[in-house]
Amino acid sequence: MNAPRLSLPEKAERLVVRGLAKVPPRVLERVVVRRAVNRDGERLAPEIALALAALNRLPGSDFSTQPLDRARHQIEAEAAVFGASYPPFHLEEDLELPGPGGPVPATRYRFRAGEPAGLVIYFHGGGWVLGSRHSTVSPVRFLAQHTGCDVLSVDYRLAPEHPFPAALEDARAAWDFAVAQAPGWGIDPARIAVAGDSAGGNISAVLSLDLRSEDVRPCFQLLFFPVTDLSAKSASYAEFRDGFFLTEAQMDWYAERYLPSPAAATDPRVSPLLAPDLAGAPPAYVAVAGFDPLRDEGIAYAERLREAGVPVELAREGDLIHAFINVTAVSRSAYDATLRAAVALRRGIVGPE
């Protein structure tokens, strides 16, 4: 798994970002006077406000206006700029899983030697169009370190080359592979969870519903700011249409490439919020950001899970933006929010300790 080659401006940006991470929070509070406040009265974290101010001034920062190959590089480069750095783990194993469209690349991480507490199958974000194992390597390593679980990070097929339902087919293939391999990895198949961010959260939610009738099902689902409804736009789309990293135009760009037709948006395997029944889904932790177009549909999905009798914890991270799990190196607030999710994930896999 090769990291992207950063340009000189991107390397310079990374140096600036690393410098920002060293500024004491009390200093940031004084320096960043103008911070957005949402309709619920939540105020954007100062380090996030500062990073957004810089990012929004960069020319060509909107990937939806770029050629596809450039857009994909941009996402990888942003992950390298903002993501945390880690020393080598005890295990970093690149794999190729058998899939319906050919081999599915994946990487398995184990933080330290010894028997893992369980396994987390992780699906990256990027609107089903962008992203990879590399763009999500920082949060995946974070979860492996703080849960004591192996994490299997999956490179499912991307649209528009492979539109819906290719990503879901690869996700199911990854699940079947992991269940078969778990005993050999020293893992109880009853301790396998699914997790993902944004589009990956969507994949995790849909997979969790699809597996309800199987003998081996996910014991837990961790959904970071998931896409749960492509058929409609909630009020948070209007509130955070532009200026908060993920934009309404970018979500439209994703949907146009992922969906084989506009009518597919109402398919529950695209929009799990529209599933007629969520009963029997695994327990869930749903984390939403206070300044994110996807906030309201994430909240709505958590509420529907709860109404269906599914144990669910909704974490409203009010001072953060979409993709906050990728900026734990520069934002203490993002770090704390991701740590809360990791603690809940471990508890969902191994039980109270």
Side-chain angles (χ1 to χ4, degrees):
M1 184 175 58
N2 297 320
R5 298 182 64 179
L6 299 182
S7 65
L8 287 176
E10 288 164 346
K11 290 178 180 178
E13 184 182 4
R14 181 169 184 168
L15 288 174
V16 171
V17 166
R18 292 299 185 266
L20 174 64
K22 298 176 182 178
V23 178
R26 282 183 292 183
V27 174
L28 281 175
E29 289 278 357
R30 291 196 297 268
V31 171
V32 185
V33 177
R34 298 183 63 183
R35 285 189 282 152
V37 179
N38 65 21
R39 291 175 183 172
D40 294 324
E42 296 163 328
R43 187 179 296 274
L44 196 61
E47 70 276 14
I48 299 295
L50 193 59
L52 278 177
L55 189 64
N56 290 337
R57 286 184 175 90
L58 290 175
S61 60
D62 184 356
F63 61 76
S64 67
T65 66
Q66 307 291 332
L68 185 57
D69 59 346
R70 177 60 197 169
R72 286 176 173 164
H73 171 82
Q74 183 171 322
I75 291 296
E76 302 291 333
E78 286 175 354
V81 167
F82 289 96
S85 298
Y86 291 86
F89 278 19
H90 172 71
L91 174 70
E92 299 179 25
E93 180 185 18
D94 287 337
L95 302 165
E96 286 193 338
L97 324 181
V104 179
T107 301
R108 180 166 65 105
Y109 296 92
R110 182 175 295 177
F111 176 57
R112 60 168 59 96
E115 187 172 293
L119 175 67
V120 180
I121 306 176
Y122 196 92
F123 303 102
H124 65 80
W128 310 274
V129 178
L130 311 177
S132 69
R133 290 172 293 160
H134 181 74
S135 65
T136 197
V137 70
S138 175
V140 161
R141 286 175 182 267
F142 188 105
L143 292 178
Q145 178 179 358
H146 291 283
T147 64
C149 296
D150 282 9
V151 179
L152 183 68
S153 184
V154 179
D155 261 347
Y156 52 87
R157 285 173 290 168
L158 298 177
E161 300 93 332
H162 305 285
F164 168 82
L168 297 175
E169 293 170 347
D170 287 355
R172 178 57 191 263
W175 171 264
D176 291 340
F177 177 86
V179 169
Q181 295 297 316
W185 293 342
I187 296 167
D188 182 350
R191 287 189 169 189
I192 304 178
V194 294
D197 61 284
S198 196
N202 171 277
I203 291 170
S204 297
V206 172
L207 182 62
S208 294
L209 295 177
D210 285 351
L211 292 168
R212 284 178 291 180
S213 62
E214 298 295 320
D215 292 335
V216 181
R217 294 161 286 181
C219 64
F220 196 77
Q221 55 179 321
L222 170 59
L223 312 180
F224 287 113
F225 32 86
V227 183
T228 67
D229 188 2
L230 280 183
S231 72
K233 294 179 178 179
S234 61
S236 55
Y237 261 84
E239 187 175 359
F240 310 113
R241 178 176 289 116
D242 197 18
F244 296 96
F245 186 66
L246 179 66
T247 69
E248 179 182 16
Q250 289 168 350
M251 284 303 301
D252 292 342
W253 187 85
Y254 284 142
E256 289 168 3
R257 284 151 183 79
Y258 180 55
L259 301 180
S261 70
T266 59
D267 188 321
R269 300 189 76 210
V270 169
S271 301
L273 186 62
L274 304 184
D277 183 15
L278 303 184
Y285 185 95
V286 182
V288 299
F291 295 79
D292 183 359
L294 304 184
R295 182 195 62 191
D296 291 356
E297 64 191 76
I299 294 171
Y301 193 68
E303 291 173 347
R304 284 227 38 220
L305 286 170
R306 186 175 290 114
E307 290 167 0
V310 177
V312 58
E313 183 175 353
L314 172 63
R316 296 187 58 151
E317 306 297 355
D319 60 345
L320 293 172
I321 59 172
H322 190 81
F324 64 77
I325 60 171
N326 291 294
V327 297
T328 55
V330 299
S331 169
R332 184 67 204 188
S333 185
Y335 180 97
D336 291 345
T338 309
L339 182 60
R340 284 189 286 272
V343 169
L345 177 59
R346 178 177 172 86
R347 186 170 59 244
I349 293 173
V350 306
E353 296 179 281

Short mmCIF file of all heavy atoms in Angstrom, two decimals, residues 38 46 68 70 118 169 184 187 224 279 285 344:
data_model
loop_
_atom_site.label_atom_id
_atom_site.label_comp_id
_atom_site.label_asym_id
_atom_site.label_seq_id
_atom_site.Cartn_x
_atom_site.Cartn_y
_atom_site.Cartn_z
N ASN A 38 -23.78 27.25 15.03
CA ASN A 38 -24.90 26.66 14.30
C ASN A 38 -26.23 26.97 14.99
O ASN A 38 -26.27 27.64 16.02
CB ASN A 38 -24.69 25.15 14.10
CG ASN A 38 -24.69 24.36 15.39
OD1 ASN A 38 -25.21 24.79 16.43
ND2 ASN A 38 -24.10 23.17 15.36
N PRO A 46 -11.93 26.09 17.71
CA PRO A 46 -11.05 27.13 17.14
C PRO A 46 -10.03 26.60 16.15
O PRO A 46 -9.77 27.23 15.12
CB PRO A 46 -10.38 27.75 18.37
CG PRO A 46 -10.54 26.74 19.46
CD PRO A 46 -11.83 26.05 19.18
N LEU A 68 -11.24 13.40 -12.36
CA LEU A 68 -11.37 12.35 -11.37
C LEU A 68 -10.02 11.95 -10.78
O LEU A 68 -9.90 11.76 -9.56
CB LEU A 68 -12.07 11.14 -11.98
CG LEU A 68 -12.40 9.99 -11.03
CD1 LEU A 68 -13.27 10.46 -9.88
CD2 LEU A 68 -13.10 8.86 -11.79
N ARG A 70 -7.34 13.69 -10.45
CA ARG A 70 -6.87 14.75 -9.57
C ARG A 70 -7.66 14.79 -8.27
O ARG A 70 -7.10 15.00 -7.18
CB ARG A 70 -6.97 16.11 -10.28
CG ARG A 70 -6.56 17.30 -9.44
CD ARG A 70 -5.12 17.21 -8.98
NE ARG A 70 -4.86 18.13 -7.88
CZ ARG A 70 -3.76 18.11 -7.15
NH1 ARG A 70 -2.83 17.21 -7.38
NH2 ARG A 70 -3.59 18.97 -6.17
N GLY A 118 -10.79 -8.58 19.34
CA GLY A 118 -11.80 -8.84 18.32
C GLY A 118 -11.31 -8.31 16.99
O GLY A 118 -10.11 -8.07 16.80
N GLU A 169 -21.22 -5.23 -2.67
CA GLU A 169 -20.83 -6.60 -2.98
C GLU A 169 -19.45 -6.91 -2.42
O GLU A 169 -19.21 -7.99 -1.86
CB GLU A 169 -20.86 -6.83 -4.49
CG GLU A 169 -22.25 -6.77 -5.09
CD GLU A 169 -22.23 -6.76 -6.61
OE1 GLU A 169 -21.14 -6.56 -7.19
OE2 GLU A 169 -23.31 -6.93 -7.21
N GLY A 184 -8.33 -18.49 12.52
CA GLY A 184 -6.90 -18.57 12.25
C GLY A 184 -6.14 -17.35 12.73
O GLY A 184 -4.91 -17.42 12.94
N ILE A 187 -9.28 -14.98 16.58
CA ILE A 187 -10.42 -14.10 16.86
C ILE A 187 -11.71 -14.91 16.84
O ILE A 187 -11.95 -15.70 15.92
CB ILE A 187 -10.49 -12.97 15.82
CG1 ILE A 187 -9.25 -12.07 15.91
CG2 ILE A 187 -11.76 -12.14 15.98
CD1 ILE A 187 -9.09 -11.12 14.75
N PHE A 224 -19.50 6.64 11.61
CA PHE A 224 -19.06 8.03 11.69
C PHE A 224 -19.75 8.85 10.60
O PHE A 224 -19.64 8.52 9.42
CB PHE A 224 -17.54 8.13 11.47
CG PHE A 224 -16.70 7.64 12.61
CD1 PHE A 224 -15.90 6.52 12.47
CD2 PHE A 224 -16.67 8.32 13.82
CE1 PHE A 224 -15.09 6.08 13.50
CE2 PHE A 224 -15.86 7.88 14.87
CZ PHE A 224 -15.07 6.75 14.71
N ALA A 279 -35.29 -3.43 12.79
CA ALA A 279 -35.21 -4.34 13.92
C ALA A 279 -34.19 -5.45 13.63
O ALA A 279 -34.10 -5.95 12.52
CB ALA A 279 -36.57 -4.94 14.22
N TYR A 285 -23.15 2.76 17.46
CA TYR A 285 -22.66 4.07 17.92
C TYR A 285 -22.64 4.94 16.69
O TYR A 285 -21.94 4.64 15.71
CB TYR A 285 -21.27 3.93 18.52
CG TYR A 285 -20.69 5.19 19.14
CD1 TYR A 285 -20.80 5.43 20.51
CD2 TYR A 285 -20.01 6.13 18.37
CE1 TYR A 285 -20.26 6.57 21.10
CE2 TYR A 285 -19.46 7.27 18.95
CZ TYR A 285 -19.59 7.48 20.31
OH TYR A 285 -19.04 8.60 20.89
N ALA A 344 -16.37 3.15 22.88
CA ALA A 344 -17.67 2.52 22.66
C ALA A 344 -17.54 1.28 21.78
O ALA A 344 -18.23 0.28 22.00
CB ALA A 344 -18.63 3.52 22.02
#
